[in-house]
Amino acid sequence: MNNHRFILQPYHGVESRHCCPSCLKKRCFSRYIDTEKQISFPDDVGRCDHEQSCGYHLTPKEYFERNPQSKPQHCDSATPSAWRAKPTEPRKPTSYISAETVSQTLHGYEKNNLYLFLRSKFGAEDALRLMKDYRVGTSKHWPGVCVFWQTDINGSVRAGKVMLYDAKSGKRVKEPFNHVTWVHSLLRLPDFNLRQCFFGEHLLPMNRGKPVAIVESEKTALVAAYYLPEYVWLATGGKNGCFNADALRVLKGRQVILYPDIGATDQWQQKLGLLRNLGIEANIFNYLEEIATDNERTAGLDIADYLLQIEPDQAVLQTMIRKNPTLQKLIDDLQLTLVSVERYDPDTDTSHKLSKTEKQ
């Protein structure tokens, strides 16, 4: 005789399996039910069947701990007999990429299209700093291709995403095919268990006082880190990417702001519940969604597309003002204006703009 009061809903066809609140995949989420039919749990109290890629699991015990007013009388939800979850197989250990493999890619930026694009916008020094800070490598798989290394909070490299960008436009190369693959696939690593983390996650321990901003694209994280360095910019690597309980735990105790691509705001809005259930203070930046034109919405622009319209020298000045507000008063009092001058660089045979303030 079954004496478990709170159980996962038994399978009674596809109507008994629901959309997961974390990975948003359909017909993979089992909700908890009360066998005494006195309590109706919220739709996010349950478990996702995708244990490796998602791992979402909110139990009745955790729900009652967060919502004590909902706990029924004469029920100890902390006892093992209070609920029953489907037995699960032991989780396979996470696979990693060797440090030697990673180090072999952290050079050759003069042949890296993404670096060349960033250099054209920000100059060689800042472009190189961004590539080094975020540990972006260069691959020989396609000419000009880069590697986005996913380095976790402990400094271990979980994966390397290989992607090709156009050096002039900074856009991804998708013709005649989408140029994207994974390092573990190229190396044919046996039994590789991919468990992704945020791109840029390794920067969290050294920036404990900064709020965290999350975007979808790795390139967007690099661009935003240049313009808005007061945030730690992380990338999910996809619309769903790292939006699962296992990956999100590194953000506990941090202030988080989500910056979705235009058109993905509603989908990312649904992630806020998962973040808050994990004790993460999170909000969403939806201003771009509100002001986007039809063409911008069709193109699926993100915050990087808008930031790149700002002149880099102006961005640097604004960063300095945020750090020292007195500078703005000095500029106003002296009636200074920002101008740019050209300087020839013999190493690259190009001219670079230098910014300075000048009295009107």
Side-chain angles (χ1 to χ4, degrees):
M1 187 175 190
N2 183 8
N3 60 350
H4 301 295
R5 176 171 178 180
F6 305 125
I7 64 171
L8 290 169
Q9 183 180 14
Y11 183 77
H12 295 301
V14 293
E15 70 278 358
S16 62
R17 293 297 178 264
H18 312 279
C19 177
C20 175
S22 174
C23 66
L24 300 182
K25 294 180 180 178
K26 298 180 179 179
R27 295 189 290 276
C28 67
F29 187 71
S30 304
R31 294 173 180 165
Y32 278 100
I33 61 172
D34 179 9
T35 58
E36 297 183 10
K37 299 182 179 180
Q38 296 180 8
I39 296 176
S40 295
F41 291 108
D43 291 345
D44 62 344
V45 181
R47 193 193 67 179
C48 180
D49 293 339
H50 300 289
E51 297 166 14
Q52 299 296 330
S53 60
C54 179
Y56 180 88
H57 189 187
L58 179 58
T59 66
K61 175 185 175 182
E62 293 172 311
Y63 170 72
F64 289 136
E65 287 175 348
R66 298 168 186 170
N67 302 274
Q69 72 282 358
S70 301
K71 183 178 179 180
Q73 295 182 348
H74 312 299
C75 174
D76 182 8
S77 62
T79 61
S81 61
W83 70 88
R84 174 171 60 88
K86 178 182 177 182
T88 60
E89 297 180 0
R91 175 183 283 192
K92 291 176 59 179
T94 303
S95 297
Y96 298 102
I97 305 292
S98 72
E100 181 182 2
T101 298
V102 176
S103 64
Q104 291 173 354
T105 71
L106 301 180
H107 58 83
Y109 293 117
E110 68 282 353
K111 298 179 181 179
N112 187 310
N113 284 4
L114 179 60
Y115 166 76
L116 295 176
F117 170 74
L118 295 176
R119 191 182 71 179
S120 71
K121 296 296 182 180
F122 310 142
E125 182 179 348
D126 284 320
L128 183 60
R129 174 182 56 81
L130 290 168
M131 300 291 276
K132 294 292 187 180
D133 285 351
Y134 277 87
R135 305 189 76 189
V136 183
T138 304
S139 171
K140 298 179 181 178
H141 185 62
W142 297 300
V145 74
C146 71
V147 185
F148 294 120
W149 294 110
Q150 292 184 8
T151 308
D152 66 24
I153 199 168
N154 298 314
S156 300
V157 179
R158 297 193 177 193
K161 187 190 293 186
V162 180
M163 300 180 74
L164 181 61
Y165 288 82
D166 181 86
K168 293 185 178 180
S169 69
K171 301 295 184 182
R172 283 178 53 190
V173 177
K174 299 182 179 180
E175 299 295 339
F177 61 92
N178 193 7
H179 290 66
V180 57
T181 186
W182 294 90
V183 169
H184 64 272
S185 298
L186 297 177
L187 296 179
R188 294 183 171 86
L189 298 179
D191 302 319
F192 192 88
N193 182 30
L194 174 62
R195 187 173 295 152
Q196 295 188 65
C197 67
F198 287 101
F199 172 71
E201 184 177 306
H202 62 285
L203 299 174
L204 290 174
M206 61 192 78
N207 293 279
R208 297 187 184 278
K210 290 184 178 182
V212 176
I214 299 178
V215 293
E216 179 179 334
S217 161
E218 294 90 347
K219 187 198 84 174
T220 297
L222 295 172
V223 171
Y226 173 83
Y227 284 97
L228 300 168
E230 58 266 39
Y231 294 94
V232 182
W233 290 88
L234 307 181
T236 64
K239 288 185 179 180
N240 293 320
C242 297
F243 279 118
N244 59 73
D246 186 50
L248 288 169
R249 287 191 178 93
V250 299
L251 302 177
K252 196 165 185 179
R254 308 293 292 247
Q255 180 185 353
V256 176
I257 304 176
L258 306 182
Y259 285 83
D261 293 0
I262 295 174
T265 300
D266 288 343
Q267 187 176 357
W268 279 36
Q269 187 82 37
Q270 300 176 33
K271 313 286 189 181
L272 291 178
L274 173 60
L275 286 157
R276 291 166 181 168
N277 282 339
L278 293 170
I280 301 168
E281 180 186 350
N283 293 288
I284 193 165
F285 182 81
N286 59 6
Y287 176 70
L288 297 181
E289 192 75 47
E290 295 174 353
I291 66 169
T293 66
D294 290 340
N295 289 337
E296 291 170 338
R297 201 175 304 280
T298 300
L301 301 187
D302 64 13
I303 188 171
D305 296 301
Y306 293 90
L307 290 175
L308 286 169
Q309 298 175 27
I310 303 173
E311 289 296 329
D313 48 8
Q314 181 66 37
V316 172
L317 178 60
Q318 291 304 315
T319 297
M320 294 169 63
I321 291 172
R322 282 193 291 270
K323 292 181 178 179
N324 186 2
T326 305
L327 181 59
Q328 182 64 66
K329 186 176 188 305
L330 184 64
I331 292 172
D332 294 340
D333 290 346
L334 297 179
Q335 297 182 321
L336 300 176
T337 184
L338 192 67
V339 298
S340 296
V341 295
E342 296 282 343
R343 185 184 71 178
Y344 177 71
D345 186 345
D347 293 333
T348 60
D349 193 30
T350 57
S351 296
H352 297 287
K353 284 186 176 181
L354 296 174
S355 40
K356 65 177 183 178
T357 50
E358 190 173 85
K359 187 173 177 61
Q360 291 180 327

